[in-house]
Each structure stands twice: as structure tokens, then as C-alpha cells.
């Protein structure tokens, strides 16, 4: 029985992975069960053995993608030395987010590309799951503001939405012909540092000069 259960779980995981690929490539409207089954190397009716509907499958992929992203960013932050500054913690979160989106997970990319296309009930479920990720970023930005690492005139809530929105949009425009992921990461981190940081005395002197 355990061996049979393991095979069943493996098939289910294969369907989920196939659905993430198809959602990333074709979007919610174009993601047909027959396409998902083909990528999973199954016949289309077999998908209904594991999922009652296409939307149930899509919802599970989207929630899994959101969790994958949050867990990856959390793990990257937990691995930082205790003395890491609040601004460098933000930059580490930026890198972890982009690498998941652009290199590691079709699940996370499926979320970014389809969260605005799915039905309201799936969107609501995704929003509940995504609230924890936004809470993580809220803590990062509030810590940086408390430390004086970011400008006092910035609204952390607006900054959080703009940063996450920009990171989530990266899969829509990036491909390898636009440069390496390393370049994208470094550029994003530079924009974060210079956009959030309070100007130093040298910066002010250069501006006035």
C-alpha cells in the first residue's frame, strides 16, 4: 500500500508541475487540461482522478507557488549573519525573490503571471496566502526605517507594494537575451539601495556642487 501511495503522490506532483509549466507559458485562459496532461505524460481523463476541476488544480499550483516564494526568501534571510544590516537584508530578499521567479520555480512564475487572470475565488485564496509574504516585507521595511536606513519621507507601505510589484513583473519582460539573472539582481539591488537610502553627506555635497 505505501508503494502504491507513493506512486499516486508522485503522479499528483507531476500533474502539479506540468500545470505550473503550462500556466507560465500559456496563462490561465490558455491552460487546457489536455495540455497539462500532455506535459505530465498522462491522458487527460487521468487528471480528474487527482483533481475535480481545472480550477482546483490551478488554485493548488498558485498557492504552492506563493508558499515556495515565501519559504525561499525566508530561508535566504535566515541564513544571513546576525550582524547583517536591515538594508542588506532587503537586498538579500530582492535577490531570493528574483532567483525563484527567473531561475528556480515555474510555480512562483505561474503566480506572477496569472494572479490577475484567475477567478475571484482563487484570487481570494491566493491573497490569504500572500498576506504572510507581505508581512515579511513589511517587517523588513519597518526595521530599515526604524534603523534610519531608509529616508524618513518614504511611506513603507507604498514602498513595499512598489518593490513587490516590480519583482513580480520581472518574468514578463526578462529572458536570457536581456542579460543574465545576476545582472538583473545587481540592478534591482542598486535601485533599491539608491531609492530607499537616506542621502549621505557626500551625496548632498555632490548634489549642491
Amino acid at each position: 500500500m505505501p508503494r502504491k501511495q507513493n506512486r499516486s503522490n508522485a503522479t499528483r506532483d507531476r500533474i502539479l508541475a506540468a500545470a505550473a509549466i503550462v500556466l507560465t507559458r500559456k496563462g490561465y485562459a490558455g491552460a487546457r487540461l489536455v495540455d497539462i496532461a500532455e506535459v505530465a505524460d498522462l491522458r487527460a481523463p487521468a487528471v480528474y482522478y487527482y483533481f475535480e476541476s481545472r480550477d482546483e488544480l490551478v488554485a493548488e499550483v498558485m498557492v504552492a507557488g506563493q508558499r515556495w516564494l515565501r519559504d525561499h526568501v525566508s530561508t535566504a534571510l535566515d541564513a544571513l549573519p546576525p550582524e547583517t544590516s536591515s538594508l542588506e537584508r532587503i537586498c538579500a530578499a530582492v535577490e531570493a525573490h528574483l532567483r525563484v521567479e527567473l531561475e528556480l520555480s515555474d510555480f512562483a512564475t505561474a503566480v506572477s503571471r496569472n494572479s490577475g487572470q484567475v477567478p475571484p475565488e482563487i484570487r481570494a485564496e491566493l491573497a490569504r496566502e500572500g498576506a504572510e509574504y507581505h508581512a515579511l516585507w513589511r517587517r523588513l521595511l519597518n526595521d530599515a526605517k526604524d534603523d534610519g536606513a531608509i529616508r524618513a519621507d518614504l511611506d513603507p507601505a507604498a514602498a513595499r507594494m512598489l518593490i513587490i510589484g516590480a519583482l513580480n513583473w520581472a518574468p514578463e519582460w526578462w529572458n536570457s537575451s536581456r542579460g543574465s539573472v545576476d545582472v538583473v539582481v545587481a540592478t534591482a539591488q542598486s535601485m533599491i539601495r539608491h531609492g530607499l537610502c537616506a542621502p549621505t553627506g557626500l551625496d548632498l555635497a555632490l548634489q549642491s556642487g
Side-chain angles (χ1 to χ4, degrees):
M1 181 65 71
R3 185 176 300 174
K4 184 176 181 181
Q5 184 64 45
N6 288 340
R7 285 200 301 269
S8 178
N9 290 340
T11 301
R12 193 175 191 280
D13 289 345
R14 198 161 84 240
I15 294 170
L16 286 167
I21 292 170
V22 174
L23 283 166
T24 295
R25 292 175 180 171
K26 298 189 174 184
Y28 173 77
R32 302 180 304 164
L33 281 180
V34 65
D35 298 324
I36 294 169
E38 182 178 353
V39 173
D41 196 23
L42 296 168
R43 293 184 178 181
V47 176
Y48 286 107
Y49 178 80
Y50 299 91
F51 301 94
E52 292 184 3
S53 67
R54 185 183 78 132
D55 279 355
E56 180 186 334
L57 172 56
V58 169
E60 188 157 342
V61 168
M62 300 283 277
V63 169
Q66 186 65 64
R67 287 176 183 163
W68 191 323
L69 176 63
R70 186 189 70 229
D71 290 348
H72 186 78
V73 173
S74 295
T75 298
L77 292 171
D78 290 343
L80 294 173
E83 65 273 15
T84 304
S85 71
S86 55
L87 185 60
E88 289 308 311
R89 286 178 62 80
I90 290 172
C91 287
V94 167
E95 176 171 8
H97 186 122
L98 285 172
R99 292 201 182 278
V100 167
E101 294 275 11
L102 303 181
E103 290 182 327
L104 303 177
S105 175
D106 287 309
F107 284 84
T109 310
V111 175
S112 299
R113 290 190 167 171
N114 294 283
S115 56
Q117 303 178 30
V118 295
E121 58 271 18
I122 297 180
R123 207 174 306 159
E125 187 174 356
L126 191 61
R128 288 192 293 271
E129 185 65 36
E132 292 189 39
Y133 189 57
H134 277 264
L136 179 155
W137 274 93
R138 190 179 296 112
R139 290 191 296 272
L140 288 172
L141 288 163
N142 285 342
D143 287 348
K145 188 162 189 177
D146 291 343
D147 290 346
I150 63 176
R151 303 200 321 260
D153 62 312
L154 290 182
D155 174 33
R160 169 171 51 87
M161 298 302 291
L162 288 166
I163 291 169
I164 294 176
L167 296 176
N168 283 340
W169 187 250
E172 294 295 332
W173 59 264
W174 181 85
N175 58 56
S176 57
S177 68
R178 292 179 176 269
S180 70
V181 175
D182 291 344
V183 170
V184 176
V185 168
T187 301
Q189 289 175 328
S190 178
M191 291 175 68
I192 292 294
R193 287 191 184 96
H194 291 87
L196 293 181
C197 283
T200 64
L202 177 59
D203 293 332
L204 294 173
L206 290 173
Q207 290 172 15
S208 61

